[in-house]
Each structure stands twice: as structure tokens, then as C-alpha cells.
Amino acid sequence: MIGKKFSKLILGGKDLGFYQYDGDMNEKLDGVRKSINEMAETWSEEEKAHCLEATEASFRFSGGIMRCITEA
């Protein structure tokens, strides 16, 4: 969504291939999720809590950024 909007605004609609992937995207996402979960299994409770706090903040701020971009 963001890439397409900027492509229209800045590049005259030219596709730079940002959303083009080799293979099945759902399979790739499943692999990434599995990797993250395996890594997180080794974390302490303190590390997990810190990650959760950082994740919450990133979603909170990304929402504001998304509104700025989509309202442009």
C-alpha cells in the first residue's frame, strides 16, 4: 500500500519490484515466524518483556506514520 502510493506520487507509477518475490510469500512468512519463535524461546523473561514493550511502541508509532503517509 505505501509502496504503491509513493510509486504513483514520486515515480509516475513505475514498479521497482519491491513487492515481487520468488516463491510463495506465505511460506516465506511462515519460515520467518518459525525463526523468530525459535530465537525467542531462548530469551529470559526480562528479554521477552522488553521485546513486548518495544513491539507495542513500534505499532503505536507506525500507526501515526501510516496516517501521515496515507493522508498525503
Side-chain angles (χ1 to χ4, degrees):
M1 182 167 119
I2 295 171
K4 289 180 183 180
K5 181 162 185 145
F6 275 101
S7 173
K8 280 184 186 178
L9 291 172
I10 299 171
L11 304 173
K14 182 175 181 177
D15 181 7
L16 297 178
F18 183 77
Y19 294 107
Q20 296 176 5
Y21 307 95
D22 292 330
D24 183 316
M25 180 51 59
N26 289 324
E27 288 179 16
K28 292 183 183 299
L29 289 172
D30 287 341
V32 169
R33 285 184 196 103
K34 182 180 176 192
S35 256
I36 291 170
N37 288 335
E38 288 172 355
M39 179 180 51
E41 287 174 3
T42 66
W43 294 350
S44 68
E45 288 303 316
E46 182 180 329
E47 290 170 316
K48 289 177 183 178
H50 179 73
C51 180
L52 182 60
E53 291 169 10
T55 300
E56 290 171 356
S58 71
F59 277 96
R60 184 173 53 252
F61 295 122
S62 68
I65 292 168
M66 182 69 99
R67 276 189 296 282
C68 289
I69 291 170
T70 58
E71 292 173 1

